[in-house]
Amino acid sequence: MPEVPDTKNTDTEKSNPKRRANARPVKSGSWWGYLIWFFLILLIFSFFFQGSTKNEITYTDFRDNVNKGNVASVVFRNHEIEGKFTDAYVKANKEKKVSPDFVTRIPMIQGSELITFLENHNVKINAQKVEHFPWTIVIFMAPWLLLVGYFVYAGHKLRGKMGGGGGLGLFNVGQSKAKRYKKSNVDVHFDDVAGLDNAKTDLREIIDYLKNPTRFLSLGAEVPRGVLLTGPPGCGKTLLAKAVAGEIGVPFYHLSGSEFIEMFVGVGASRVRDMFANAKKDAPSIIFIDEIDSIGRSRGSGIGGSYEEREQTLNQILSEMDGFEAHQSVVVIAATNRPDVLDAALIRPGRFDRQIALPLPDKKARKKIFQIHIRHVPTSQDIDFDNLAARTVGFSGADIKNLVNEASLIAGRKNKSAVEHEDFELAWDEAMLGIQREDILEDDEKKLVSYHESGHALIAQLLPETDPLQKVTIIPRGRSLGSTEQVPEIDRHNLSRSYLLGIIAVRLGGRMAEKLFLNDISNGAADDLKNATRLARQMVCQWGMSDNLGPMTFSQAEEDPYLGREIARPRDYSEETAKIIDEEVKNLLTEQEQRVKKLLQDNSGLLEKLVSALLEHETLEKEQIIEILGAK
């Protein structure tokens, strides 16, 4: 959605006539600029207008013409001879368009002999002293003069801008890059943000304060200095800040934390001062700093110019937020997905008074997000948004928006007039598994993949504590040769031991099916074994689900909820304890493997039916699976 930001300087001056009246007139140029242009023009003239414009002939031709009596007169100018041909010679060569004037250069060995030669042929001789402009000196000195002029001009600008203290620096490099928005420039409102009800409640209170501060000031309340929005990427931090700009009728300044940083030390602090100065003049107003972790990291974490510049910028932000007065009504909203790296002084009370954690949307919110993003997308009536919301567990708002866009692109490639449910199915497969591969599996490999996926599906259908099946396919996508999809009926916030054991059992079902019915195993279970082992180790080390070890936790690599990757932790237990942990993890996996083995042996007929159906159709949907295996 297009946003047309209002330029800060123009809007501020229009709304503040006092500032406009006190401002100094801006000169259209300076004499230093004219001096630079003068030297540039002089340099051009030196290249295009030096030398004579007359016809130049060789010295040999000149002597030949003298011998033939074709030269009427000559003029000596240093080492050049300018002469005139006789009228008779010019008329005789009229068709050749011979110029009456010529110029030639005298060889260094010539001297008085040339004068005698000309006199013997009755040539009129004259000599002139020529005052040449020193073009060579100009050409040599011009670059140096330009360089000196530039530094003098730069110093003049620097003194002019920074003479009053806290100026904008050379060429306004210290000027804030924050974009100023008015209510009319933003068409995003709280109704456009699905879920995040608690966050919107907190922000509505701030909006009410800025709109009607008297109601709060009469009770002795002060406006919150700052609000910190935290959450994983794509959860809606920036969108929520835009919604604040759409809901409120005060100036709204927006920029990213990285826009403060330049290669020059002190520029970031200058930009912070300029941004806060403009926000205070427009008070009540809001400043939104996206990705504040780029400048708000803990101080003292490094040395060098880049660290010094970042720390100076952070110090200036802390100082500006401390300098707020109650009546100024300037609120700073910041967003980050790395709250763990922020400096303690930045998030203490009095600066960022409120920290609002934005979680990933639940099922109800995901359905609303789908409905928001399809408002301008023509869709058919067969789309089941409840099913799509259930299948997109862990998706952020940005992921759902991308899924809707991918479905629209798929429908466009098929020349459809509306997006259908099958387009969302393909978009989901591409988002989760990757684009369908063009390679065709051989019969033996296709059979192996069918048994593997059927093993996953059958265990998932037989165990009541696992999530229901949605789809099984043996169509290669991305790095996977096949996949089994399960859809949770509810969003789970607590995982029971039985549920976790069911997940491990489903993971081991594919490998065990290969082993029992094909008498062999393949490397296709590598990812299944990795995930099953990691989950078992978490159960033993982090969640106290081991009877032998008891209610204890042990340091292991943990997944960062914001980064989505594991973070190594130092080990805080002995080698003997580590051996016990390994035995517990192994026992847990072995128990589930034996459980899966018995289930597959007792239901071998169902497995064979599932394999046959997969080999025939390649993809089985939920209804087909229920028809083959029966209801769960």
Side-chain angles (χ1 to χ4, degrees), residues 18-31:
K18 181 178 179 180
R19 181 184 178 188
R20 186 172 65 248
N22 296 333
R24 292 184 300 177
V26 180
K27 297 181 181 180
S28 60
S30 67
W31 68 275

Side-chain angles (χ1 to χ4, degrees), residues 519-532:
N519 297 319
D520 200 0
I521 55 177
S522 68
N523 64 344
D527 192 58
D528 296 329
L529 295 177
K530 175 183 176 181
N531 292 327

Side-chain angles (χ1 to χ4, degrees), residues 272-343:
V272 170
R273 287 191 295 269
D274 185 53
M275 178 184 67
F276 277 92
N278 288 304
K280 290 175 183 178
K281 290 174 182 176
D282 284 339
S285 60
I286 289 180
I287 297 173
F288 175 60
I289 305 176
D290 202 2
E291 305 297 342
I292 195 173
D293 54 275
S294 60
I295 56 173
R297 290 175 176 264
S298 297
R299 289 167 290 182
S301 57
I303 57 175
S306 60
Y307 292 102
E308 183 180 356
E309 165 64 0
R310 181 177 58 80
E311 291 187 5
Q312 285 190 15
T313 305
L314 175 57
N315 291 337
Q316 189 63 45
I317 291 178
L318 299 177
S319 176
E320 293 290 343
M321 294 186 72
D322 270 342
F324 283 359
E325 297 179 4
H327 65 275
Q328 285 180 332
S329 300
V330 177
V331 177
V332 181
I333 301 177
T336 180
N337 52 19
R338 294 296 311 276
D340 54 307
V341 302
L342 294 181
D343 192 90

Side-chain angles (χ1 to χ4, degrees), residues 158 161-162 166-176 270-271 274:
L158 186 62
K161 292 297 183 182
M162 301 189 68
L168 302 179
L170 180 60
F171 303 128
N172 292 341
V173 71
Q175 184 177 10
S176 170
S270 177
R271 289 179 176 175
D274 185 53

